[in-house]
Amino acid sequence: EGDLVTPLLLALAIGVIAGLRAMLAPAAVAWAARLGWIDLGANWFAFLGHKWAVWITSVLAGAELITDQLPKTPSRTVPPQFTARIIAGAVCGAAVAGAGGASWIVGLICGIIGAVIGTLGGRAVRGKLANAFGNDHPAAILEDIVAIGGAIAIMAALR
């Protein structure tokens, strides 16, 4: 049977990453699958390990990191942005949980919960940091660093 709690906690955590940066979570899962760090097998999420998924999600994640720095970028809590984060959290949570031997359905739920936590918590922390710095730019960069580091750590934990 093995430990099923760890993959579910990692599914929750990758959901948090999706809440911080919607496309970073799918890019991390895609790279982990492509590098053989995780085995998505022949389940519904195996497409994330395809070379095209790696490049598409990577380009989208890079674009998101850039556009997030722009002053006209909408809030992460507007419906289209929030929905994208929830979908990314759900898919990535399911993939991570399934790769870790847990139920992908429970992982999907954990990913959604994580995405909501990451979206709302990330907005709150970034707002406080922006006020402390007197500028949003350093807060956004710090959030990027945390999101990228967190995504790498989560995928490495599944190896």
Side-chain angles (χ1 to χ4, degrees), residues 1 11-12 16 26 33 35 37 47-48 53 63 70 72 94 98 105 116 122 127 129 131-133 145:
E1 251 176 63
L12 179 76
V16 171
L35 294 172
W37 290 11
F47 74 92
L48 285 169
L70 304 175
K72 299 267 186 195
I105 294 172
V116 171
L129 287 172
N131 285 338
F133 290 130
I145 292 167

Side-chain angles (χ1 to χ4, degrees), residues 53-108:
V54 170
W55 294 112
I56 291 168
T57 58
S58 295
V59 167
L60 292 173
E64 182 180 20
L65 290 172
I66 293 166
T67 59
D68 182 62
Q69 304 294 323
L70 304 175
K72 299 267 186 195
T73 301
S75 168
R76 70 184 81 200
T77 57
V78 299
Q81 309 287 11
F82 207 158
T83 301
R85 292 165 196 274
I86 289 171
I87 292 169
V91 169
C92 293
V96 164
S103 163
W104 69 266
I105 294 172
V106 178
L108 181 137

Side-chain angles (χ1 to χ4, degrees), residues 105-159:
I105 294 172
V106 178
L108 181 137
I109 294 165
C110 289
I112 290 171
I113 293 168
V116 171
I117 292 168
T119 301
L120 300 177
R123 180 184 69 174
V125 170
R126 181 166 164 180
K128 288 184 190 299
L129 287 172
N131 285 338
F133 290 130
N135 185 337
D136 183 62
H137 190 67
I141 300 244
L142 188 57
E143 186 179 15
D144 290 344
I145 292 167
V146 167
I148 292 167
I152 292 168
I154 293 161
M155 293 303 106
L158 283 166
R159 286 178 75 177

